[in-house]
Amino acid sequence: MPEKMIEVIDLHKSFGNQEILKGIDLNVRKGEKVVIIGPSGSGKSTLLRCLNYLEVPTSGAIKIEGKSFLDEQGKYHEKRVAELRTEIGMVFQSFNLFPMMTAIENVMAAQIKIRKKTKEDARKTAELYLDKVGLADRMNHYPSQLSGGQQQRVAIARALAMRPKMMLFDEATSALDPELVGDVLQVIRQLADEGMTMVLVTHEMRFAEEVGDRIIFMDRGVIVEEGSPEDIFVHPQHNRTKTFIQRVLHPESLEGVQ
Amino acid sequence: MNILNNLDFGTAIHQLTPQLLQGLVIALEATIFGFLLALVLGVLIAVGRLSGRKFLNGVLVVFLEMIRGTPLLVQLVYMFYVVPLLISLVFQFFIPDYQFRMNPLLSGVLGLGINYGCYMSEVVRSSIVTIHKGQTEAALALGYTHRQTMWSIIIPQATRNSIPVFGNYLIMMIKDTSLLAFITVNELLLRTQAYASQTFLTIESYTLLAVAYLILSLPLSQVVRLLEKRLRKHA
């Protein structure tokens, strides 16, 4: 039985009176690639952000390799949360590189500050990962001197340099110009092939189909349906799933579905 | 007409310029240390107010209102004449007849630093608030605590973005060192007053003084403008 990397138990999340997540249960096995799809406002990004506690759940539990974010008494300790987060790499829609640091400094910063590595050690690791994402020749550029696609690849290298056990991708290509999406997807694809455990929220359905071991379709705060890419994209069971798949794969032929 | 005939800029320039240069050294000393103090205080007050601690925020708001609600000159005079007395008062509980004295320049530095620190804290605070929350999230996701995020990711950006405004405050502070004449700091104004009252070269002396300040602040304004341009390019 492959070990559970991420365990989500009856997760609820509300913002004010609005309940965004209405009881989510989810397990992610080691090496598994889980892709979350769904219409905007379905809660998929909120779910992803709960996985590393950027959003604190209203109720329910998140466990990373069996370890809960909260202590035995159910209390929140910043140190404990921060430590668990170092095991979870996250890539954002808006890249969020640190603008006052060069590409390589971006990749080195947390290694030095959080992992307590020496500068030389951090630099070596940073060079390794920047090379891996194809930016060996852009190491000393500032984020403002890089294209969106390059910035996102630096952000991926920054996350990987912490040597996390799993990666979260929050619409990593949504903010990119269409011609820059391919390079970023290529990096993610390579990571998937190497066996990294990943949870992705994406609008790239072809990519989801190709890279995902399991597709999760969410709508209005619940998981409506999950299964293999074939289950979801070719033989969806629920009407909501069918409508959504139809709408995103064939936007021109919307009629006749409802 | 008499006044015009008696103008003697030559003598004034000759005699007063060395004086002004000596005063300038003191004014620059006061500015450098005062501004460093203001920077540190500005950042600390801004972080304190954004810490989410209600009591701390309350104390700081009261302090800020006190400083912003009174003139700088009054604060300087208070710092020089009253604060040493208050300190003496406290110390006299332990050491009888203890007299605390404060160097005029030190009082000036403290007064300028505290006053400017309060104004600059508002600049830093608004700069922190406008930094995209994605920066905080990225740092947190990498395993930074909130405190680490604030000091190693947010504050460097906030201070960097504030540099042009800080530059203007620096120029203002150089000019405000003239107020230190009132607490016996031997800077440009005090020296000029002394010279003018000895020689009666009133027009010449004070005109020279004004020109001296202009020579100081005009190039600095230019530097600040350049900095602003460069920062905007790399933002």
Side-chain angles (χ1 to χ4, degrees):
Chain A
M1 194 63 190
E3 51 184 305
K4 283 179 191 168
M5 291 299 270
I6 305 173
E7 199 179 350
V8 179
I9 306 154
D10 195 26
L11 173 68
H12 289 257
K13 175 68 186 177
S14 305
F15 292 105
N17 292 328
Q18 201 163 11
E19 195 172 28
I20 305 294
L21 297 177
K22 301 169 184 167
I24 303 279
D25 291 280
L26 172 70
N27 289 316
V28 179
R29 281 173 286 116
K30 189 171 181 187
E32 196 179 14
K33 291 99 184 101
V34 174
V35 184
I36 307 171
I37 59 171
S40 56
S42 59
K44 53 193 194 308
S45 272
T46 306
L47 170 58
L48 195 75
R49 291 160 57 80
C50 281
L51 296 183
N52 69 350
Y53 251 60
L54 276 186
E55 300 293 354
V56 177
T58 310
S59 71
I62 313 272
K63 289 181 180 171
I64 302 298
E65 291 189 296
K67 214 174 170 223
S68 170
F69 276 96
L70 302 175
D71 72 4
E72 289 69 25
Q73 281 85 45
K75 275 209 183 118
Y76 182 99
H77 290 288
E78 198 183 4
K79 263 270 166 61
R80 184 190 176 103
V81 172
E83 248 176 64
L84 263 183
R85 280 181 183 144
T86 61
E87 309 293 344
I88 312 166
M90 187 163 192
V91 176
F92 300 86
Q93 181 178 354
S94 51
F95 329 137
N96 299 343
L97 291 181
F98 306 132
M100 70 292 191
M101 301 181 194
T102 61
I104 195 162
E105 287 166 353
N106 262 282
V107 184
M108 289 166 65
Q111 295 186 62
I112 296 167
K113 183 91 188 168
I114 309 300
R115 289 273 193 238
K116 307 291 178 205
K117 286 207 213 168
T118 63
K119 230 178 161 181
E120 295 74 41
D121 209 5
R123 180 173 293 277
K124 264 189 212 145
T125 309
E127 282 169 354
L128 184 83
Y129 283 106
L130 281 171
D131 187 44
K132 188 181 162 94
V133 299
L135 291 173
D137 57 337
R138 293 283 187 280
M139 289 189 194
N140 296 315
H141 287 57
Y142 283 91
S144 59
Q145 299 166 318
L146 298 172
S147 73
Q150 291 168 337
Q151 286 189 52
Q152 191 61 298
R153 283 184 281 152
V154 174
I156 293 173
R158 177 174 69 177
L160 290 177
M162 295 295 278
R163 303 208 196 268
K165 293 180 175 150
M166 62 206 80
M167 288 284 286
L168 310 177
F169 292 89
D170 188 5
E171 300 190 18
T173 57
S174 299
L176 298 175
D177 292 335
E179 76 270 22
L180 301 175
V181 170
D183 288 341
V184 173
L185 291 185
Q186 185 52 41
V187 169
I188 301 176
R189 188 178 291 127
Q190 190 191 342
L191 208 56
D193 290 343
E194 289 167 9
M196 175 65 83
T197 309
M198 307 198 301
V199 182
L200 305 97
V201 169
T202 185
H203 294 300
E204 305 277 340
M205 292 304 147
R206 302 273 171 226
F207 185 69
E209 198 171 354
E210 172 200 347
V211 103
D213 297 320
R214 182 148 54 109
I215 311 293
I216 289 176
F217 173 68
M218 278 182 75
D219 194 18
R220 289 174 230 162
V222 294
I223 294 179
V224 177
E225 190 170 353
E226 59 180 301
S228 70
E230 201 188 315
D231 291 340
I232 301 297
F233 290 112
V234 188
H235 313 293
Q237 300 298 310
H238 288 71
N239 266 335
R240 276 196 268 173
T241 320
K242 284 178 192 165
T243 313
F244 177 75
I245 299 292
Q246 181 74 9
R247 193 176 289 167
V248 291
L249 292 185
H250 311 284
E252 65 283 353
S253 63
L254 199 61
E255 297 95 316
V257 178
Q258 265 99 353
Chain B
M1 282 304 103
N2 216 357
I3 296 174
L4 274 184
N5 291 338
N6 289 338
L7 275 184
D8 186 2
F9 270 98
T11 310
I13 288 172
H14 187 69
Q15 292 175 336
L16 186 57
T17 305
Q19 288 278 334
L20 286 178
L21 285 174
Q22 281 172 22
L24 179 65
V25 172
I26 290 167
L28 287 180
E29 263 175 38
T31 306
I32 289 165
F33 291 112
F35 197 75
L36 284 177
L37 176 62
L39 262 179
V40 173
L41 276 179
V43 172
L44 288 179
I45 292 171
V47 173
R49 289 203 58 196
L50 291 169
S51 68
R53 295 197 183 99
K54 277 203 175 122
F55 178 74
L56 180 63
N57 185 40
V59 170
L60 289 173
V61 168
V62 169
F63 183 68
L64 286 179
E65 289 306 327
M66 272 166 49
I67 295 298
R68 287 190 301 191
T70 51
L72 173 57
L73 182 53
V74 173
Q75 290 162 23
L76 288 170
V77 169
Y78 203 86
M79 185 61 82
F80 183 55
Y81 292 106
V82 182
V83 169
L85 287 179
L86 294 178
I87 293 175
S88 302
L89 208 68
V90 172
F91 270 83
Q92 278 170 11
F93 284 113
F94 309 102
I95 311 157
D97 300 325
Y98 181 84
Q99 290 292 331
F100 184 82
R101 285 187 204 291
M102 196 135 72
N103 171 302
L105 185 60
L106 178 63
S107 309
V109 166
L110 290 177
L112 284 170
I114 290 170
N115 181 280
Y116 274 72
C118 286
Y119 285 100
M120 278 156 65
S121 77
E122 288 297 286
V123 179
V124 178
R125 198 168 70 99
S126 61
S127 185
I128 289 174
V129 172
T130 53
I131 287 171
H132 191 257
K133 76 176 192 330
Q135 291 289 312
T136 304
E137 289 183 350
L140 292 178
L142 285 165
Y144 287 67
T145 60
H146 270 100
R147 177 181 292 232
Q148 287 171 327
T149 304
M150 180 59 98
W151 287 102
S152 52
I153 304 294
I154 305 299
I155 295 289
Q157 287 182 58
T159 42
R160 183 179 169 275
N161 296 344
S162 307
I163 284 175
V165 188
F166 285 170
N168 286 324
Y169 275 105
L170 181 71
I171 296 165
M172 275 166 61
M173 191 186 273
I174 291 178
K175 292 181 288 183
D176 275 346
T177 57
S178 60
L179 294 174
L180 302 190
F182 288 87
I183 55 170
T184 74
V185 175
N186 209 1
E187 47 64 72
L188 295 85
L189 175 57
L190 196 65
R191 286 169 192 265
T192 307
Q193 274 178 335
Y195 180 76
S197 62
Q198 281 164 22
T199 59
F200 301 104
L201 295 172
T202 310
I203 293 178
E204 299 86 335
S205 305
Y206 289 112
T207 306
L208 275 180
L209 176 68
V211 170
Y213 277 114
L214 268 178
I215 290 173
L216 255 175
S217 54
L218 284 183
L220 275 173
S221 314
Q222 222 45 46
V223 171
V224 169
R225 218 163 293 159
L226 270 174
L227 270 177
E228 210 171 353
K229 247 190 208 160
R230 279 190 55 177
L231 278 177
R232 211 173 291 152
K233 225 189 270 170
H234 287 286

